[in-house]
């Protein structure tokens, strides 16, 4: 399967679509979506996927062709899109129960809609850290937050991992106000591991640090090649 060709087909837009590979055997009863830029994929991503697999038959590491905008002044990507997808494919191939997902849309509500179409009848869950949990309930991302989140929680549960130095109190309060608190639960992930972000890894790489303990072995060659490319 050629991920570049898949991405080209997903970019025009329209109804949210999700392409997953390798295709799962049969029809999983439960699917967990873990969305990210994966620039690069980190050990935190894999720990979240591991914890998600305690509740789901399949964990889909989902890359969107339309990502949310980064903070003003943020540095550009470390890995190219092709490099990220190749590494993700290698990571998932080495770990049963994991698959790569390509989605046409970046908002989690749209990704849930796409997953519902792709896995009819499956129980869908969304996996994220407390930083993304706070973003999910931030009204700045929505024209109609109540309607969008209502559709998301009608179709999916949400499980979050607490990251070091963060808590979920504000987001859980907003969820309760909107009537969705019963659809949200914690994941058993050590906060220090959950705190390892792609942004952190990029910063360390660009400062000349080795990140062998922060990314899976399948990512190391690509990360080191990118470091040499930027240095040269």
């Amino acid at each position: 399967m050629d991920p570049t060709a898949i991405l080209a087909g997903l970019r025009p837009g329209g109804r949210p679509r999700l392409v997953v590979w390798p295709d799962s055997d049969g029809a999983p009863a439960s699917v967990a979506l873990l969305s990210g830029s994966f620039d690069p994929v980190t050990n935190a991503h894999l720990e979240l996927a591991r914890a998600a697999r305690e509740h789901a038959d399949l964990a889909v590491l989902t890359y969107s062709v339309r990502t949310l905008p980064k903070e003003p002044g943020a540095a550009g990507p470390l890995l190219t899109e092709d490099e990220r997808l190749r590494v993700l494919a290698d990571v998932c191939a080495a770990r049963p129960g994991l698959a790569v997902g390509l989605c046409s849309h970046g908002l989690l509500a749209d990704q849930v809609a796409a997953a519902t179409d792709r896995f009819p009848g499956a129980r869908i869950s969304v996996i994220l850290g407390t930083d993304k949990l706070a973003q999910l309930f931030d009204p700045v991302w929505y024209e109609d937050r109540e309607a969008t989140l209502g559709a998301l929680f009608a179709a999916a549960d949400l499980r979050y991992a607490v990251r070091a130095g963060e808590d979920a109190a504000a987001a859980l309060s907003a969820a309760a106000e909107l009537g969705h608190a019963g659809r949200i639960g914690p994941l058993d992930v050590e906060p220090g591991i959950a705190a390892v972000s792609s942004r952190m890894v990029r910063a360390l790489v660009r400062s000349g640090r080795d990140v062998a303990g922060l990314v899976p072995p399948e990512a190391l060659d690509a990360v080191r090649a990118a470091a040499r490319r930027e240095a040269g």
Side-chain angles (χ1 to χ4, degrees), residues 194-220:
V196 177
S197 67
S198 295
R199 182 194 307 173
M200 174 196 299
V201 171
R202 291 194 300 271
L204 289 172
V205 169
R206 285 166 168 154
S207 69
R209 300 277 297 278
D210 185 73
V211 294
L214 302 177
V215 301
E218 293 87 352
L220 272 177

Side-chain angles (χ1 to χ4, degrees), residues 13 19 34 61 63 127 147 155 170 173 182 191 203 231:
V19 176
L34 173 57
L61 277 61
Y63 177 83
I127 308 301
S173 176

Side-chain angles (χ1 to χ4, degrees), residues 150-191:
L152 186 156
F153 285 107
D157 294 317
L158 189 151
R159 294 186 179 273
Y160 66 90
V162 176
R163 305 181 70 179
E166 300 176 356
D167 66 56
L172 293 178
S173 176
E177 290 176 6
L178 294 170
H180 303 309
R183 299 285 271 172
I184 301 176
L187 279 176
D188 185 16
V189 175
E190 198 279 312

Side-chain angles (χ1 to χ4, degrees), residues 2-19:
D2 181 358
T4 302
I6 295 170
L7 287 171
L10 290 172
R11 290 187 198 280
R15 182 175 176 81
R17 290 172 291 157
L18 176 67
V19 176

Side-chain angles (χ1 to χ4, degrees), residues 15-42:
R15 182 175 176 81
R17 290 172 291 157
L18 176 67
V19 176
V20 177
W21 88 90
D23 285 335
S24 58
D25 295 330
S30 52
V31 176
L33 303 178
L34 173 57
S35 182
S37 67
F38 304 109
D39 182 29
V41 62
T42 70

Side-chain angles (χ1 to χ4, degrees), residues 142-149:
Y142 306 98
E143 292 183 6
D144 186 337
R145 182 180 66 161
E146 186 170 348
T148 302
L149 292 180

